[in-house]
Amino acid sequence: MINAREFGIIPGQDAARPLVKLAEHLKAAQSPCTVIFEPGTYPIRAENLPMREMYVTNTVGDKEWLPGETPHENRAGFLLEGVSDAALEGNGAVFVLHGRATNLALINCHDVTMRGFRFTAERPDMHEFMVVKKGPFWVDFHLDEESRYVRYGGKFYFVGDGYCTSFFAQRVAGWIGHIDCHDPGILKRTGHPFFSALRIVERGDHQFRVYMPDALRFKIGERYELFDVRRKYNGIFIDRCQNITLEGVEQNFNYGLALVAQDSDTLMLSGLRFAPRPDGPRLMASVADFIQICMCRGQVTVRDSVFEGSGDDCLNAHGIHFKIVEHAGESITVRFMHRQSHGFNPLRPGDRITFVNPETLLCRGEAIIRQSELLDEYNIRLVLDGAVQGSVGDVIEDIDASPDLTFEHNTMDRIITRGLLLTVRGKVRIRENVFEHTTMNHILISDDAKSWYESGCVRDVRIEGNTFKYCPEHTVCIKPENRTHAGAVHTGIVIQNNTVRTPSYYVKSADGVQIIGNRHEREPKLFTKDSRVEF
């Protein structure tokens, strides 16, 4: 038993450097241990955290780094590396991040449990404007009370720890969050509210009148969430880990993905709450997805959790399609193809791979990886024990880097895109969840080898006992991104015993799909293409 106070982790005092000392001790520990934190609030000053290189999937792309930034340089409040057989008991401890950093990083750890922690941020660079009044050529906005701002050179800037951001920083982006004036659960992407602004006048504390020619398009009570979409710092990062349990962990804000796990085996995520502070000024909690699972293995379980206010999907579970760029005998070189995912090697000796035609997304043959070597950030050389049935230009999928996924007893609301995005061939069970509001499909089953290169086919998916509420698109959309239909990409999908408010289904290039025994609150719609569906 270890008391965190012994390392100087004391409520009310900066925990940045003491957390580093604790992590060093846990890495060197030779026996199982439990770390006890006192209840209380602990500030973490980001500038006091060490920087290190981290390649994190689906985050900042190569051309998105700013002048003066070191690509893939990162830092984390909790940075646990090489730790095993450890339990960290938070007892409700609240860690408040001052500045930009990842809340928690687990790298090459196994058998680690974290329980009873809350992570939040002090005046982060996310800001909310609410429309309070309007005229034919002007709109009055109220800026949330937590945001600080200054006027310099006739322009307004948000200011806080580690940032000074213009009100117009995202003026050309279409990623601003728009919250409906009638139903705050409806969150959509839109353009900057000041896109056509001619001038801005401060009319009082946190009160601004914006003059623009198209003011009538605004509605009283609607809100706009302004934030940087680059995903440089994420909430929780799990890399090359095994048997990780997060229980009763809460996050109120993060600058990227709320939780991203890559190349890891067996995760238990229960009792999570990824949502804004109940007493907070904003209705968003994450700049990007709440959970991203990439090239993982074993059993991944997400249960008994609440997700509210994401800047992308609630959960995206997928593999990676690597393109074959060189073929010599039993050796092939494969490449990461998306600029936001590269720099790590999840292709392990002993894994089975299959060769995939990028036009049809159909698999052809299997081979076993005998050797795997990361040549540089983008290229991996594989020596195979088996015939190479693909050619240069085809892609491969690692069959074994695809977990079984259980997602149950969760509630999600205010999701700006999809509830779940699934492209994993393991056993998938989606049951007894409540999908309150999504802007796109409640569930999308995709697969592509042309854009995001997120693999692969699904073979055993059961979606049952869920409640699907507001959704302007499809309840379940099965839509592999194959350009040529040469056979079913997806099989073994059962959608049954769900309650659906606005039932709509789209099925493309899939066989063995059953949509049966559901309670539809209105006449359901079914759209099919090159598929066999029992409906």
Side-chain angles (χ1 to χ4, degrees):
M1 300 289 291
I2 299 172
N3 192 319
R5 178 178 281 269
E6 299 172 13
F7 292 84
I9 305 172
I10 300 170
Q13 299 184 16
D14 180 20
R17 292 191 175 97
L19 284 170
V20 174
K21 294 179 182 179
L22 173 62
E24 292 172 347
H25 176 83
L26 294 178
K27 184 175 182 178
Q30 299 297 313
S31 58
C33 61
T34 299
V35 183
I36 306 298
F37 291 78
E38 301 174 33
T41 300
Y42 300 77
I44 299 178
R45 307 293 309 187
E47 68 267 23
N48 294 329
L49 296 170
M51 302 294 290
R52 63 154 294 160
E53 186 178 74
M54 297 183 197
Y55 287 90
V56 186
T57 187
N58 292 84
T59 56
V60 183
D62 282 341
K63 296 182 180 179
E64 297 174 345
W65 298 98
L66 299 178
E69 290 184 333
T70 301
H72 308 292
E73 192 174 63
N74 211 313
R75 57 192 172 199
F78 282 75
L79 174 54
L80 304 182
E81 185 168 9
V83 174
S84 61
D85 298 307
L88 285 74
E89 300 287 348
N91 296 301
V94 179
F95 286 85
V96 183
L97 182 63
H98 295 251
R100 297 175 185 259
T102 290
N103 292 322
L104 165 67
L106 297 166
I107 301 174
N108 196 25
C109 296
H110 69 83
D111 298 287
V112 173
T113 297
M114 290 196 68
R115 183 181 295 110
F117 290 88
R118 179 159 77 92
F119 297 100
T120 189
E122 177 71 13
R123 301 182 190 276
D125 195 5
M126 175 182 279
H127 313 277
E128 180 180 285
F129 282 102
M130 177 184 287
V131 177
V132 294
K133 193 176 180 180
K134 70 175 183 177
F137 300 108
W138 54 266
V139 183
D140 285 348
F141 292 90
H142 174 73
L143 174 63
D144 73 81
E145 297 293 338
E146 187 178 85
S147 293
R148 291 177 179 171
Y149 62 93
V150 297
R151 183 173 183 175
Y152 179 76
K155 299 180 180 180
F156 291 97
Y157 297 84
F158 302 115
V159 292
D161 288 326
Y163 69 87
C164 179
T165 306
S166 167
F167 276 20
F168 292 93
Q170 301 294 322
R171 189 170 183 174
V172 298
W175 301 80
I176 303 302
H178 174 271
I179 296 174
D180 188 82
C181 59
H182 301 295
D183 188 342
I186 301 176
L187 173 63
K188 299 180 179 181
R189 286 175 176 164
T190 190
H192 199 295
F194 303 162
F195 180 80
S196 60
L198 302 174
R199 63 189 178 104
I200 300 178
V201 177
E202 184 180 10
R203 292 174 55 82
D205 185 36
H206 288 71
Q207 305 290 330
F208 299 89
R209 175 163 290 181
V210 182
Y211 292 88
M212 60 183 74
D214 53 350
L216 294 178
R217 63 188 171 93
F218 291 92
K219 297 179 181 178
I220 305 301
E222 64 185 354
R223 310 178 193 205
Y224 292 85
E225 308 280 340
L226 277 61
F227 50 86
D228 180 1
V229 301
R230 293 191 311 137
R231 309 181 181 187
K232 181 177 179 182
Y233 294 108
N234 301 282
I236 298 170
F237 176 44
I238 302 173
D239 181 31
R240 289 169 289 146
C241 293
Q242 185 172 9
N243 295 331
I244 302 297
T245 298
L246 301 182
E247 182 178 334
V249 174
E250 178 173 349
Q251 290 188 104
N252 301 135
F253 175 81
N254 64 270
Y255 281 107
L257 303 159
L259 186 153
V260 53
Q262 67 187 30
D263 194 17
S264 294
D265 188 333
T266 308
L267 309 175
M268 170 58 75
L269 312 174
S270 67
L272 306 180
R273 185 177 184 274
F274 292 171
R277 296 197 327 264
D279 61 341
R282 295 172 303 275
L283 293 179
M284 287 187 68
S286 179
V287 166
D289 308 63
F290 275 138
I291 298 179
Q292 181 109 202
I293 304 294
C294 176
M295 298 294 290
C296 289
R297 304 155 188 268
Q299 175 67 47
V300 174
T301 300
V302 183
R303 63 162 54 121
D304 302 321
S305 298
V306 174
F307 304 101
E308 294 180 2
S310 71
D312 213 319
D313 306 320
C314 181
L315 179 143
N316 181 0
H318 63 91
I320 294 176
H321 274 137
F322 295 86
K323 179 176 283 190
I324 301 174
V325 294
E326 185 177 317
H327 175 202
E330 295 183 340
S331 174
I332 60 173
T333 299
V334 297
R335 179 176 296 167
F336 287 96
M337 295 303 298
H338 196 275
R339 66 182 184 279
Q340 292 185 335
S341 297
H342 55 92
F344 62 103
N345 185 3
L347 306 176
R348 304 179 185 178
D351 282 359
R352 297 169 297 154
I353 65 168
T354 185
F355 303 93
V356 181
N357 183 313
E359 300 295 328
T360 66
L361 294 178
L362 298 184
C363 304
R364 183 172 66 253
E366 292 185 11
I368 306 296
I369 298 176
R370 200 163 67 228
Q371 298 176 25
S372 178
E373 178 187 5
L374 184 66
L375 301 177
D376 52 43
E377 287 186 23
Y378 282 94
N379 295 291
I380 301 172
R381 179 181 293 129
L382 303 176
V383 178
L384 305 178
D385 184 5
V388 176
Q389 299 187 47
S391 57
V392 172
D394 287 346
V395 297
I396 67 163
E397 178 189 357
D398 190 322
I399 296 172
D400 293 318
S402 187
D404 293 335
L405 172 68
T406 299
F407 188 87
E408 61 186 5
H409 309 302
N410 305 296
T411 299
M412 65 201 78
D413 195 7
R414 210 174 302 119
I415 306 300
I416 209 167
T417 52
R418 295 143 300 230
L420 307 181
L421 173 53
L422 306 172
T423 46
V424 290
R425 66 166 66 216
K427 183 169 70 175
V428 177
R429 298 294 180 261
I430 311 300
R431 54 197 178 206
E432 299 182 14
N433 305 284
V434 178
F435 293 73
E436 290 282 356
H437 293 85
T438 65
T439 300
M440 296 181 183
N441 307 292
H442 279 315
I443 297 176
L444 170 62
I445 297 175
S446 185
D447 190 11
D448 82 270
K450 293 287 186 180
S451 53
W452 284 91
Y453 287 84
E454 292 182 357
S455 66
C457 58
V458 305
R459 291 291 180 260
D460 183 1
V461 177
R462 298 185 72 90
I463 301 168
E464 54 190 351
N466 303 281
T467 299
F468 296 103
K469 295 185 178 181
Y470 174 86
C471 177
E473 295 190 4
H474 301 295
T475 308
V476 178
C477 180
I478 303 168
K479 192 177 182 181
E481 297 183 25
N482 53 330
R483 297 185 180 182
T484 302
H485 176 80
V489 176
H490 297 307
T491 60
I493 301 169
V494 178
I495 305 164
Q496 67 178 4
N497 301 329
N498 302 284
T499 298
V500 190
R501 178 175 297 171
T502 57
S504 179
Y505 306 93
Y506 181 93
V507 183
K508 174 191 174 188
S509 296
D511 283 349
V513 178
Q514 296 177 287
I515 305 174
I516 54 177
N518 299 286
R519 180 177 178 270
H520 295 139
E521 297 184 8
R522 63 179 67 174
E523 189 68 23
K525 299 177 182 179
L526 174 63
F527 307 88
T528 64
K529 183 178 180 180
D530 300 321
S531 299
R532 291 189 298 175
V533 182
E534 178 184 347
F535 185 69

